[in-house]
Amino acid sequence: MKPYQILQNDPKMMLGYMNRVPHSSDLAMQVLEVAYGKATMLLPYNPKFAADASGIIHEGAITSLFDSLFGIAVYVALDEPLMYSTLDLRVEIAEPAPAGKDIHATGECYRLTHEIAYTRAIAYWESPDKPFASANGSFFFTRDRKPMHPMQGFAQ
Amino acid sequence: MKPEHIKIWSEADLEKVLAEVPYAEYLGLRLKQDRQGVYCYLPCKDALIGNPLLPAYHGGVVGTVLEMAAAFYLQLSGHCQGKKIHMVSFDTDYLRPAFGVDIYARAYPVRIGKAVANIRAEAWQQSPEKPVAVGKGNYLLRQEQ
């Protein structure tokens, strides 16, 4: 089985994946859906993540959401687990996410090379047709390092 | 841009600026200052880790500390009084693994215009000579209604 099939088939595996990323868990992010090279995540609204007194979500939390989403989008694009880290990440925010709104981010790893995974995503609160933010990233494989999400003992 | 006159802030002023940003409080971010001006200091804690094997910071946290440095720089710069600062885009390059120790970030203005600002920022851990990440952001400065 490929990584995306393992995550798709067993909710415990998905939970295990998320639990191994402390910052994503701390922000209470959830993975809603994965497919081959694609993922959708949720960042539930929390006033602690606000940018100011109006309660709009800080762009930093959106940046973390995109980085987490890309982490999983790359993972589910692979044939076997590998270790990788963020090389660059560009986030564009067209409009702040309003107070009280849960945020969705959906994206994909659109291309893999031997060394780099290329990713893109959007974020929205109402509908994917109305994104308020978008991101592009590239991720660098370090094939000599142990993968962070091995297939064995996956659930932990 | 030429270096600007460095203003010395009181601890209370910096505390007040920080307290207005709940997300900075959540992260545990601090504002410090030296002869080059104000910079960000983020003490390491488990909740900021992305890869516990190394351990290393979450890429989103490294990006965020650069964004915070840039935004606080703008806010304190004196160019943005009565203006709302909106981050249009932010681009982070990750240069080295940001291991699980305290992280610092400082912003440098490239251009601050009337309506738009371009700010660069650098994050480091052991030494500012060895940045773990650099970033640049474009900001819209809107007159507050």
Side-chain angles (χ1 to χ4, degrees):
Chain A
M1 273 207 282
K2 293 184 175 183
Y4 83 93
Q5 290 165 320
I6 289 186
L7 292 191
Q8 269 181 340
N9 291 348
D10 190 345
K12 270 196 302 204
M13 298 293 186
M14 184 73 88
L15 220 56
Y17 179 102
M18 289 307 286
N19 287 343
R20 254 173 281 125
V21 188
H23 185 57
S24 307
S25 314
D26 206 63
L27 292 173
M29 288 179 202
Q30 298 162 35
V31 182
L32 299 183
E33 216 180 336
V34 292
Y36 191 32
K38 290 177 199 274
T40 302
M41 284 179 82
L42 169 72
L43 176 67
Y45 181 76
N46 184 336
K48 281 195 214 159
F49 309 155
D52 58 35
S54 75
I56 58 167
I57 290 293
H58 194 281
E59 47 269 29
I62 311 291
T63 300
S64 283
L65 178 62
F66 278 130
D67 192 55
S68 305
L69 177 77
F70 287 155
I72 195 158
V74 173
Y75 187 76
V76 296
L78 296 172
D79 289 334
E80 54 176 349
L82 287 174
M83 173 69 189
Y84 46 90
S85 42
T86 317
L87 183 60
D88 64 45
L89 177 64
R90 174 185 168 84
V91 177
E92 293 170 4
I93 312 259
E95 189 186 349
K101 297 284 185 192
D102 296 344
I103 294 167
H104 290 76
T106 189
E108 59 176 352
C109 171
Y110 70 88
R111 186 69 202 264
L112 282 176
T113 68
H114 186 72
E115 299 89 358
I116 306 283
Y118 296 87
T119 58
R120 58 187 173 204
I122 54 161
Y124 57 93
W125 63 82
E126 255 173 25
S127 136
D129 300 332
K130 275 193 186 172
F132 72 92
S134 81
N136 276 270
S138 57
F139 291 76
F140 180 71
F141 293 118
T142 36
R143 288 170 189 266
D144 55 337
R145 276 196 204 267
K146 215 170 97 189
M148 193 179 142
H149 302 285
M151 305 248 255
Q152 276 130 12
F154 199 93
Q156 288 186 16
Chain B
M1 262 176 86
K2 277 190 192 163
E4 296 176 285
H5 175 71
I6 306 295
K7 181 172 171 175
I8 311 291
W9 298 87
S10 71
E11 287 290 316
D13 282 339
L14 294 181
E15 286 296 325
K16 197 169 153 249
V17 168
L18 262 179
E20 284 166 6
V21 186
Y23 196 56
E25 289 218 314
Y26 157 77
L27 294 172
L29 191 93
R30 317 294 313 147
L31 288 175
K32 294 186 150 230
Q33 57 192 334
D34 60 13
R35 289 161 71 183
Q36 292 178 67
V38 173
Y39 62 99
C40 290
Y41 162 57
L42 185 63
C44 190
K45 57 177 180 178
D46 286 350
L48 305 179
I49 296 299
N51 180 340
L53 292 184
L54 294 174
Y57 275 87
H58 193 281
V61 173
V62 176
T64 299
V65 77
L66 291 170
E67 291 168 15
M68 292 265 183
F72 281 123
Y73 182 93
L74 268 175
Q75 202 187 332
L76 295 170
S77 72
H79 295 280
C80 300
Q81 267 145 8
K83 288 181 178 174
K84 230 177 153 49
I85 301 166
H86 172 70
M87 188 185 97
V88 175
S89 64
F90 203 93
D91 214 323
T92 302
D93 292 324
Y94 298 81
L95 308 176
R96 294 183 173 85
F99 292 118
V101 294
D102 299 350
I103 193 163
Y104 304 86
R106 190 190 295 277
Y108 303 88
V110 180
R111 177 161 195 264
I112 304 176
K114 278 203 183 93
V116 174
N118 182 288
I119 308 289
R120 207 160 55 78
E122 287 185 13
W124 73 93
Q125 295 187 302
Q126 265 80 11
S127 152
E129 306 297 312
K130 284 192 164 181
V132 293
V134 294
K136 62 128 185 141
N138 282 313
Y139 292 84
L140 201 58
L141 314 174
R142 281 201 196 105
Q143 209 67 48
E144 255 170 323
Q145 310 277 311

